[in-house]
């Protein structure tokens, strides 16, 4: 893919959002770092990008990109990506990202048609530093590929024998491969769809597994079956979180980290209204968001100031640019509860924006 002129960068969208970001959610030093990431990519790299906000006092954050077909194809072509994306000159791990995305495209009957199943997640630090490769790559996987309405050639042998080794830069250790396959096999009784993530720059040497639409009463049994290494204190904490919050949302997503010798004790629990189309379930249409945030405040895992700022986030921003006119839809994506050994329950909010071309106008309800 030959590029004749420098494209508009993703930062052109991010700049439009900055005035809407309450400093209690993302302080200026984190906004500066995110701005550095967005200037390294063209605007068409993703259709949705999002931020992580820790709902209590912490100011740490992550920044995630949901790839488009065009963006995925660009990143898969290393030489072309280096012409356009400044980030590709900063960290050798990007070569692994390119190899993975090229493989991803080749395993779909229509190359890159399901690129929106892939997320790149960047660790955002303060003070600002030169952006490197993403810390985590998450990609979706259907047990029954007919559900995805696409023809894909990605058996589990491809997952453990090709995709994950590419991202890790080495063949999977036999113990890790066995643990992954065992956890996935057990999950098939509880869900049709999961995401799996490779940690490129995280301290934990493992693989992230996210099980969508798992029933609340099945979570503890599943963890017991796979030999989860959590403590009794964590078990009680997780059981209470399920009881306190599952009735306020449509579905749950369980996050586990799989290692060579064990299933790590840290677990996450996403609270979801619509995991595929969250933009249609914003607070103006889904009043349970208010109940959910009130419950988070009552449980001491969210400060009122952040609750109010997050509930005020949704809306839209018009882009009048002649280069790529349209609207940025701002919205909440989900809440994640995190259970960590010897630590109180933690809540994280995920919010972001998605680009719609000018032909798709926001309704009065979205304002």
């Amino acid at each position: 893919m030959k590029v004749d002129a420098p494209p508009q960068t993703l930062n052109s969208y991010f700049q439009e959002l900055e005035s809407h970001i309450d400093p209690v959610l993302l302080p200026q030093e984190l906004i500066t770092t995110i701005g550095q990431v967005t200037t390294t990519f063209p605007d068409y790299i993703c259709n949705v990008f999002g931020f992580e906000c820790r709902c209590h006092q912490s100011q740490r954050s992550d920044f995630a990109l949901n790839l488009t077909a065009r963006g995925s194809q660009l990143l898969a072509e290393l030489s072309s990506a280096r012409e356009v994306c400044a980030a590709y000159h900063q960290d050798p791990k990007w070569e692994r990202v390119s190899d993975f995305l090229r493989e991803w495209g080749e395993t779909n009957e229509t190359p890159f048609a399901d690129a929106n199943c892939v997320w790149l997640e960047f660790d955002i630090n303060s003070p600002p530093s030169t952006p490197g490769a993403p810390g985590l790559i998450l990609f979706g996987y259907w047990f029954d590929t007919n559900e995805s309405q696409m023809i894909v050639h990605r058996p589990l042998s491809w997952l453990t024998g090709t995709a994950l080794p590419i991202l890790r830069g080495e063949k999977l250790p036999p113990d890790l491969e066995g643990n992954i396959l065992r956890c996935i096999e057990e999950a098939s009784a509880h869900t049709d769809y999961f995401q799996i993530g490779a940690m490129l720059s995280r301290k934990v040497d493992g693989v992230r597994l996210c099980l969508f639409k798992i029933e609340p009463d099945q979570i503890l049994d599943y963890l017991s079956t796979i030999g989860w290494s959590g403590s009794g204190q964590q078990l009680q904490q997780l059981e209470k979180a399920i009881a306190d919050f599952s009735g306020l949302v449509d579905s749950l997503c369980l996050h586990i980290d799989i290692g060579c010798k064990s299933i790590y004790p840290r677990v996450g629990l996403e609270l979801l209204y619509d995991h595929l189309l969250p933009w249609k379930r914003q607070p103006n249409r889904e009043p349970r968001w208010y109940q959910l945030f009130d419950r988070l405040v009552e449980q001491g895992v969210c400060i009122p100031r952040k609750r109010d700022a997050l509930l005020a986030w949704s809306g839209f921003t018009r882009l009048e640019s002649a280069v790529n006119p349209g609207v940025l839809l701002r919205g909440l994506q989900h809440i994640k509860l995190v259970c960590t050994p010897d630590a109180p329950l933690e809540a994280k909010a995920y919010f972001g924006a998605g680009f719609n071309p000018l032909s798709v106008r926001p309704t009065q309800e979205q304002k």
Side-chain angles (χ1 to χ4, degrees), residues 262-280:
S262 66
I263 311 305
Y264 290 110
R266 186 176 187 271
V267 296
L269 193 67
E270 285 186 11
L271 310 176
L272 301 161
Y273 291 114
D274 188 326
H275 73 283
L276 294 178
L277 295 171
W279 306 106
K280 293 185 177 181

Side-chain angles (χ1 to χ4, degrees), residues 98-134:
S98 280
D99 291 343
F100 166 76
L101 290 173
R102 185 165 55 253
E103 177 72 21
W104 181 268
E106 291 174 355
T107 52
N108 194 312
E109 198 77 7
T110 303
F112 304 106
D114 61 344
N116 66 341
C117 289
V118 180
W119 287 83
L120 307 183
E121 187 175 292
F122 298 84
D123 301 316
I124 302 301
N125 300 309
S126 177
S129 58
T130 302

Side-chain angles (χ1 to χ4, degrees), residues 26 82-83 88 108-110 117 149 265 291 345 359 364:
L26 292 175
R82 284 177 171 160
E83 291 183 38
Y88 263 53
N108 194 312
E109 198 77 7
T110 303
C117 289
Q149 300 180 349
Q291 299 173 45
L345 185 71
S359 57
Q364 185 66 29

Side-chain angles (χ1 to χ4, degrees), residues 64-348:
L65 306 178
N66 184 205
L67 296 180
T68 61
R70 186 182 175 195
S72 187
Q73 183 176 8
L74 171 71
L75 299 185
E77 299 175 7
L78 188 62
S79 59
S80 296
R82 284 177 171 160
E83 291 183 38
V84 176
C85 305
Y88 263 53
H89 297 277
Q90 306 296 333
D91 192 321
K93 296 188 192 74
W94 277 113
E95 188 166 353
R96 289 190 233 161
V97 176
S98 280
D99 291 343
F100 166 76
L101 290 173
R102 185 165 55 253
E103 177 72 21
W104 181 268
E106 291 174 355
T107 52
N108 194 312
E109 198 77 7
T110 303
F112 304 106
D114 61 344
N116 66 341
C117 289
V118 180
W119 287 83
L120 307 183
E121 187 175 292
F122 298 84
D123 301 316
I124 302 301
N125 300 309
S126 177
S129 58
T130 302
L136 177 69
I137 296 182
L138 280 167
F139 54 97
Y141 198 103
W142 293 91
F143 280 112
D144 177 4
T145 56
N146 292 328
E147 291 290 337
S148 69
Q149 300 180 349
M150 298 179 186
I151 301 176
V152 294
H153 309 284
R154 299 174 190 144
L156 290 179
S157 58
W158 171 86
L159 179 64
T160 59
T162 301
L164 291 173
I166 285 174
L167 288 170
R168 288 169 57 89
E170 60 184 7
K171 185 178 178 179
L172 292 182
D175 288 347
L176 179 57
E177 182 176 14
N179 268 347
I180 293 169
L181 292 174
R182 181 169 57 85
C183 290
I184 290 174
E185 181 180 357
E186 293 293 341
S188 63
H190 304 290
T191 182
D192 295 324
Y193 176 73
F194 65 88
Q195 288 181 343
I196 196 155
M199 304 175 190
L200 272 66
S201 63
R202 303 287 175 91
K203 293 180 180 179
V204 174
D205 181 21
V207 169
R208 173 73 51 85
L209 181 63
C210 308
L211 307 179
F212 284 85
K213 300 186 77 171
I214 185 169
E215 292 297 325
D217 60 0
Q218 296 176 349
I219 291 174
L220 300 183
D221 287 343
Y222 172 76
L223 291 174
S224 176
T225 301
I226 62 174
W228 175 57
S229 61
S231 66
Q233 173 265 336
Q234 275 186 281
L235 187 64
Q236 293 177 3
Q237 188 182 69
L238 181 58
E239 189 172 24
K240 185 177 186 303
I242 293 170
D244 288 342
F245 293 98
S246 61
L248 296 175
V249 294
D250 289 340
S251 66
L252 304 176
C253 176
L254 177 68
H255 290 207
I256 59 173
D257 292 333
I258 304 169
C260 289
K261 301 301 181 182
S262 66
I263 311 305
Y264 290 110
R266 186 176 187 271
V267 296
L269 193 67
E270 285 186 11
L271 310 176
L272 301 161
Y273 291 114
D274 188 326
H275 73 283
L276 294 178
L277 295 171
W279 306 106
K280 293 185 177 181
R281 303 292 294 277
Q282 295 306 303
N284 62 324
R285 295 183 176 182
E286 178 48 82
R288 286 180 296 172
W289 275 111
Y290 293 92
Q291 299 173 45
L292 176 58
F293 274 108
D294 285 345
R295 180 71 55 82
L296 291 168
V297 171
E298 290 169 5
Q299 296 293 326
V301 295
C302 180
I303 60 175
R305 182 81 172 82
K306 289 190 176 183
R307 172 197 59 191
D308 298 343
L310 287 162
L311 287 170
W313 170 253
S314 59
F316 73 91
T317 301
R318 295 186 183 277
L319 302 176
E320 307 296 343
S321 167
V323 177
N324 204 7
V327 293
L328 282 174
L329 297 177
R330 305 189 307 274
L332 302 175
Q333 293 173 316
H334 63 270
I335 300 294
K336 183 166 76 171
L337 305 176
V338 181
C339 295
T340 306
D342 303 316
L345 185 71
E346 182 181 18
K348 301 178 181 180

